[in-house]
Amino acid sequence: MTCGLMGGTFDPVHLGHVQIATNALDELKLDRLLFLPDGDPPHKRPIASGVQRLEMLRLICLEDSRFEVTDMELRRRGTTYTVDTLRKLKELRPRDELIYLIGSDTLYLFPTWHTAQDVAKLCRMAVVLRPGDDLTGVINMQQELLQNYGLYSCLLSKPGLPISSSMVRDALQNGESIRKLVPALVADYIEEERLYQVAAKAAEIKD
Ligand code: ATP
Ligand code: MG
């Protein structure tokens, strides 16, 4: 089995995530795509709880039988590191080939990843050009990561949509509709839970 993995904060999951997951499944002929919402990421602090972020991913899994989600990173105590997740997945399914799906903005951060060398040994990556990133720069970065870390990666043919979770949160804080940014089930859930309506800073202080 070839298994695509997609890590992220998914605060919230949006149509940009769904589009790159579907494209990767089709273009790379993956058997399944596993979403890995992170628990305590080293670089940012989520606003929605782990349970809420997981629930939104469960909702999008209803839309494509090849989508799956696991709470293994959410359940881990302390900072989440991709290398631990990859090791665990290899242990659970030693014969699976793992392809980690990543936006080009995140690819640039790869050298800062904890034990980047080990990550490169455990998976290959599929990169999606994110609007705002320069194609030549991304290709150069892929070359550099191959040379310096032994990381093999391919670039998917379709670029990502101009959508981000920050854009969704900003729209909600401004009282704007998010129906063009997230799947309908996720928009309904966000409304029911009254998520992201207070400014991000206030939410962080309150926590
Ligand atoms: P935020 O605005 O909070 O940073 P985000 O939209 O970047 O959120 P993340 O959960 O941080 O979402 O992203 C998870 C993964 O999906 C990352 O690898 C990121 O690069 C990728 N990604 C997210 N949105 C897109 C997009 N529109 N096109 C391509 N890649 C994307
Ligand atoms: Mg991001």
Side-chain angles (χ1 to χ4, degrees), residues 6-12 14-17 19-20 43-44 100-107 128-131 159-167 169:
M6 191 170 170
T9 311
F10 303 107
D11 191 22
H14 54 68
L15 288 171
H17 294 128
Q19 184 241 18
I20 69 173
H43 52 283
K44 60 181 173 184
Y100 200 95
L101 182 59
I102 190 174
S104 49
D105 59 318
T106 311
L107 184 78
V128 181
L129 184 70
R130 198 152 185 188
L161 296 172
I163 299 179
S164 65
S165 298
S166 323
M167 206 186 258
R169 298 193 299 267

Side-chain angles (χ1 to χ4, degrees), residues 3-198:
C3 178
L5 305 173
M6 191 170 170
T9 311
F10 303 107
D11 191 22
V13 61
H14 54 68
L15 288 171
H17 294 128
V18 177
Q19 184 241 18
I20 69 173
T22 311
N23 286 348
L25 279 162
D26 294 341
E27 189 170 336
L28 304 175
K29 305 205 181 341
L30 307 176
D31 296 295
R32 57 189 194 120
L33 194 294
L34 183 62
F35 290 99
L36 298 157
D38 51 26
D40 186 4
H43 52 283
K44 60 181 173 184
R45 180 115 184 260
I47 292 173
S49 70
V51 172
Q52 289 169 322
R53 291 181 294 118
L54 181 68
E55 186 53 32
M56 291 187 272
L57 285 162
R58 285 205 174 117
L59 292 171
I60 65 143
C61 290
L62 299 174
E63 294 182 352
D64 190 322
S65 60
R66 300 169 300 175
F67 288 171
E68 289 173 29
V69 61
T70 171
D71 62 356
M72 60 188 283
E73 291 200 342
L74 279 174
R75 274 189 283 114
R76 196 174 303 134
R77 282 174 194 278
T79 308
T80 313
Y81 292 114
T82 306
V83 69
D84 300 325
T85 308
L86 294 172
R87 284 195 183 120
K88 186 84 205 157
L89 288 171
K90 280 277 178 202
E91 220 175 277
L92 293 171
R93 295 165 165 261
R95 287 163 62 190
D96 273 12
E97 184 186 356
L98 304 178
I99 301 192
Y100 200 95
L101 182 59
I102 190 174
S104 49
D105 59 318
T106 311
L107 184 78
Y108 281 110
L109 300 175
F110 185 79
T112 68
W113 285 23
H114 186 64
T115 56
Q117 304 274 6
D118 294 327
V119 172
K121 285 194 196 98
L122 291 161
C123 69
R124 286 189 288 143
M125 287 204 174
V127 184
V128 181
L129 184 70
R130 198 152 185 188
D133 282 350
D134 160 64
L135 179 62
T136 318
V138 172
I139 294 171
N140 289 341
M141 188 66 190
Q142 287 180 277
Q143 284 299 327
E144 206 178 302
L145 295 178
L146 177 61
Q147 275 160 20
N148 297 346
Y149 297 90
L151 178 75
Y152 284 92
S153 64
C154 67
L155 187 67
L156 290 192
S157 61
K158 284 192 196 144
L161 296 172
I163 299 179
S164 65
S165 298
S166 323
M167 206 186 258
V168 179
R169 298 193 299 267
D170 288 349
L172 284 157
Q173 280 160 30
N174 296 328
E176 293 160 14
S177 168
I178 53 161
R179 298 271 158 187
K180 292 204 169 104
L181 305 176
V182 301
L185 289 175
V186 174
D188 293 343
Y189 181 85
I190 289 175
E191 264 172 37
E192 278 162 26
E193 296 283 308
R194 299 181 187 279
L195 269 170
Y196 309 113
Q197 289 172 7
V198 278

